[in-house]
Amino acid sequence: MNTASMQLAAPSGLMSLVLFVVAVGVLALLGGGFWMTSRVRYRESPRPRPEEQPKMPPGGPVREVRQNRESAEIPRISKGERPLTPYDLSNMDTRPSASQERPRWSKGSSGSFGGGGLGAH
């Protein structure tokens, strides 16, 4: 063998060793991932049996109810009293609106500020 072929063979052998080490590392990562997944699955609660599955209500499937609702009026304060804070208001109940007609946007309007529509003209 001449020196030129010896110089080419040395890096090739080193490259083969590096590729083998990288391949072993990838296989170790894959095996570790499989091992971790099996440990996590073992600790999970078992899947529900068929008799434990949710059942349909006796009245049949629940349907969506569409209605417009109005919020309760905010209490007015007299002049000179301290302003109300959110903690003073507690839970504000809502009630069905007198008009059940759904609000519609103006023609050509996107319905939101900055939505990119032409707006009402």
Side-chain angles (χ1 to χ4, degrees), residues 24-35:
V24 168
V26 167
L27 285 174
L29 284 173
L30 287 172
F34 179 76
W35 177 73

Side-chain angles (χ1 to χ4, degrees), residues 82-104:
R82 76 174 177 82
L84 295 174
T85 64
Y87 303 105
D88 296 329
L89 296 176
S90 70
N91 285 339
M92 300 297 287
D93 290 332
T94 62
R95 63 182 180 277
S97 174
S99 168
Q100 290 300 317
E101 187 175 319
R102 294 179 60 205
R104 298 291 179 193

Side-chain angles (χ1 to χ4, degrees), residues 49-109:
R49 295 187 307 271
E51 60 271 5
E52 296 172 337
Q53 295 291 334
K55 306 260 185 296
M56 187 177 300
V62 179
R63 301 284 183 218
E64 178 181 339
V65 176
R66 285 189 168 214
Q67 57 178 248
N68 293 338
R69 298 194 61 84
E70 295 177 349
S71 59
E73 292 293 322
I74 297 177
R76 304 257 180 216
I77 56 168
S78 303
K79 199 169 194 173
E81 288 185 30
R82 76 174 177 82
L84 295 174
T85 64
Y87 303 105
D88 296 329
L89 296 176
S90 70
N91 285 339
M92 300 297 287
D93 290 332
T94 62
R95 63 182 180 277
S97 174
S99 168
Q100 290 300 317
E101 187 175 319
R102 294 179 60 205
R104 298 291 179 193
W105 307 114
S106 303
K107 185 176 178 109
S109 171

